[in-house]
Amino acid sequence: MRKTLALSLLTLAGIVGCLPLQSSKFCRVVGWPAGKTPKAPPGFRVQEFARNLVSPRNLFVASNGDVFVAEANSEASGIGKLGADLSGASQAQRLEPSANRITLLRDANGDGKPEVQTTFLSGLTQPYGMAIAGDQFLVANTDGIFSYPYKLGELAPSGPGKRLAELPAGGYNNHWTRNLLADEARQKLYVSVGSASNIAEHGLEEEQRRANVLEIDLRTGAERVYASGLRNPVGLAWAPGNTRLWTVVNERDGLGDDEAPDYLTSLQDGGFYGWPFSYNGKRMDQRVKPQNQDMADRALTPDLALGAHTASLGLTFYRGDHFPIRYQDGAFIGQHGSWNRSELSGYKVMFVPFAAGRPAGPPENFLTVFIPDFNRNEVYGRPVAVSVGWDGALLVADDGGNRIWRVIRE
């Protein structure tokens, strides 16, 4: 799984030949001072929902209000052997052994303070995606999807898990996250799998079943590629009012501070979105060898650019009625933040207004002040997943601050 670990770390630091134009500026996570919280727009209040977590990366809210938190991170051993060039990486993100568990949070009385915080599953392999389908709790580890017997409200599965599907892992694998999303009928599962490299520099044979969103039939196990050419799709969500699947994608490195933009896009069944041959639609990447103009000509243009190197990972649509009407049906996007840019970018939660199932305006800052001082490259935390609680509050996973934030209307 980690046969190219050293190469992975060197690529992460941006010191290999595929990043000739790229700057690297790692943030330093300093943690949240006592009493300090992120800042939301006027009319909203930010509360701490949970702490004492270890790199909370993803959130899943069950229909009874239980909040499941996937705690996992990139793993790397022997980082010191690779020299001082990687010292920034260890400050920007965890590179020690991953917690590899799912924690259950239950706020039964709705006061914003969970009465229950307990381990739901442990001993996993970099879990990220979670879903419930009938009497199954589904987990996407980095190397496969597992199903556990489960009834709504249980504090732990009632039996051992079984593997439903194997997923490609290893290689570059900074793109280790595997997200899950079930369709409304709970018969099909959509799985995001990031690329094994930056621009397929190790050959397309290393990218089999990667840089895709896969569709898996839960009844038969049949798998097909639903959408392709997506360098690192992570957030997955259904747009309110229709059956259109949306994702946020981290684009390629090495083209400078302002290229190529991460993006939010709807997915067409069978659609191709350019990677590795082109970006932002049909704009060719001249570094890719061999070139493939025919594939670039097929590439679909993403719906909305989100800025280069923002690491846009989290995605949810606001389906509640607690927030003002302008936020309803809009998209919230968690931007984990850059390491490969001369100035920090991202490190916030963005909001995109929607109308008739499409973006109806540019991205807006919604949750900020994760960066107290741009000059010092310090950050309090790093927002990742976003989700809507049963009470209409927005929940934000902060894997740098090791906590979950809760945003409510005042």
Side-chain angles (χ1 to χ4, degrees):
M1 178 176 171
R2 292 176 175 80
K3 61 183 179 180
T4 56
L5 174 60
L7 177 61
S8 301
L9 289 171
L10 290 170
T11 303
L12 175 65
I15 54 177
V16 293
C18 67
L19 300 182
L21 301 177
Q22 200 76 32
S23 298
S24 62
K25 179 168 284 191
F26 293 99
C27 71
R28 185 166 68 92
V29 180
V30 297
W32 290 91
K36 186 76 173 178
T37 71
K39 182 180 180 181
F44 292 92
R45 181 156 47 97
V46 183
Q47 303 172 325
E48 182 185 281
F49 184 66
R51 62 164 57 203
N52 298 324
L53 300 161
V54 181
S55 192
R57 291 283 293 198
N58 201 15
L59 300 171
F60 176 76
V61 180
S63 59
N64 69 338
D66 283 350
V67 179
F68 294 90
V69 185
E71 296 174 75
N73 53 265
S74 302
E75 291 185 291
S77 60
I79 188 171
K81 298 177 183 179
L82 295 176
D85 291 300
L86 292 180
S87 61
S90 63
Q91 295 174 349
Q93 61 179 337
R94 294 177 181 275
L95 293 173
E96 69 266 26
S98 175
N100 289 340
R101 66 175 176 237
I102 294 174
T103 291
L104 185 152
L105 305 172
R106 178 174 293 166
D107 176 18
N109 63 7
D111 65 353
K113 300 176 182 178
E115 302 86 38
V116 175
Q117 181 169 333
T118 186
T119 298
F120 180 77
L121 277 170
S122 61
L124 304 174
T125 307
Q126 291 179 291
Y128 193 86
M130 298 165 283
I132 294 173
D135 58 359
Q136 304 176 76
F137 190 93
L138 305 172
V139 179
N141 289 325
T142 194
D143 58 357
I145 301 171
F146 288 78
S147 170
Y148 296 83
Y150 165 78
K151 291 182 179 179
L152 191 66
E154 291 181 333
L155 296 179
S158 57
K162 63 178 182 179
R163 184 189 291 268
L164 294 184
E166 183 179 352
L167 296 173
Y172 179 79
N173 214 37
N174 191 37
H175 303 158
W176 57 266
T177 53
R178 309 285 179 259
N179 208 356
L180 291 182
L181 186 66
D183 68 353
E184 186 175 359
R186 302 297 189 267
Q187 294 181 348
K188 293 181 179 179
L189 200 62
Y190 297 86
V191 187
S192 64
V193 183
S195 66
S197 62
N198 180 36
I199 51 171
E201 58 268 23
H202 308 306
L204 287 174
E205 65 276 6
E206 296 293 327
E207 304 293 344
Q208 297 298 311
R209 300 172 66 223
R210 302 190 72 147
N212 295 327
V213 171
L214 305 174
E215 180 188 82
I216 298 175
D217 191 309
L218 282 170
R219 298 162 298 179
T220 67
E223 176 192 305
R224 70 185 183 100
V225 174
Y226 184 80
S228 62
L230 303 157
R231 179 177 176 269
N232 188 28
V234 181
L236 293 172
W238 299 107
N242 58 47
T243 58
R244 192 182 299 273
L245 179 60
W246 289 74
T247 188
V248 284
V249 176
N250 302 158
E251 255 292 359
R252 64 201 69 204
D253 298 324
L255 292 173
D257 271 9
D258 299 318
E259 295 286 0
D262 297 344
Y263 58 87
L264 167 71
T265 193
S266 57
L267 295 178
Q268 292 185 19
D269 190 346
F272 174 71
Y273 292 84
W275 189 89
F277 307 107
S278 65
Y279 59 95
N280 198 22
K282 298 173 175 52
R283 187 168 181 182
M284 294 288 291
D285 189 336
Q286 301 299 327
R287 303 168 301 167
V288 178
K289 306 298 180 185
Q291 295 277 289
N292 192 323
Q293 185 67 55
D294 290 342
M295 290 298 292
D297 289 343
R298 284 181 48 199
L300 299 171
T301 301
D303 288 274
L304 187 67
L306 298 171
H309 314 301
T310 61
S312 297
L313 300 179
L315 174 65
T316 193
F317 285 94
Y318 189 82
R319 298 173 181 268
D321 57 7
H322 177 63
F323 280 16
I325 192 168
R326 73 175 304 269
Y327 291 97
Q328 295 174 23
D329 292 347
F332 286 96
I333 298 166
Q335 296 189 327
H336 197 225
S338 61
W339 62 266
N340 42 9
R341 196 171 184 274
S342 61
E343 298 295 334
L344 299 182
S345 63
Y347 301 96
K348 56 191 171 185
V349 174
M350 305 294 291
F351 171 72
V352 178
F354 265 61
R358 310 293 303 183
E364 307 170 6
N365 290 345
F366 183 79
L367 201 63
T368 59
V369 196
F370 286 84
I371 304 175
D373 188 338
F374 279 86
N375 294 325
R376 295 172 63 90
N377 300 317
E378 292 179 346
V379 301
Y380 290 142
R382 305 187 72 181
V384 201
V386 286
S387 190
V388 180
W390 68 273
D391 58 353
L394 183 71
L395 301 177
V396 178
D398 176 353
D399 73 341
N402 294 322
R403 62 198 70 192
I404 308 297
W405 300 107
R406 178 174 181 259
V407 186
I408 60 173
R409 187 177 182 179
E410 288 188 318

